Amino acid sequence: MTETDPHIHVEQKVMQAGAVYRGLLTSSLGRAPDAPSVVTTGCGLQVPYAMTSPRPESVTCLACREHAHREHLRYAEQVERLGGMPGAPVTGAQAAEAARWARDVAKRFSGR
């Protein structure tokens, strides 16, 4: 961990990062998990949790932006496949909406 790194990063497990995911866990388990003090980032560094963000507009580390872009595209593909499977827990329309959201966020991380 470096104290002089001025960049804002994304967590390595970008789809499981941030307050929304912790809120999901809290509603599912009835307990609020603590936010970690140090996390591994998409670029492989270990930085204070406070130096990360799930918001594309806040992330300044280019390697982390590329990582988050790839992870959101991967998620979009996975959720689309899930929505097309018999007995899936989500409808095809729900899967398509989730994939659209993930591709939109991926686009914001890519800067296009």
Side-chain angles (χ1 to χ4, degrees), residues 18 20 24 49 63 73 101 111:
V20 173
L24 174 66
Y49 176 73
L73 290 178
W101 168 83

Side-chain angles (χ1 to χ4, degrees), residues 16-50:
Q16 299 172 8
V20 173
Y21 186 75
R22 281 193 311 281
L24 174 66
L25 288 177
T26 301
S27 66
S28 298
L29 303 175
R31 293 192 62 184
D34 293 333
S37 59
V38 176
V39 297
T40 302
T41 65
C43 67
L45 294 177
Q46 288 195 344
V47 302
Y49 176 73

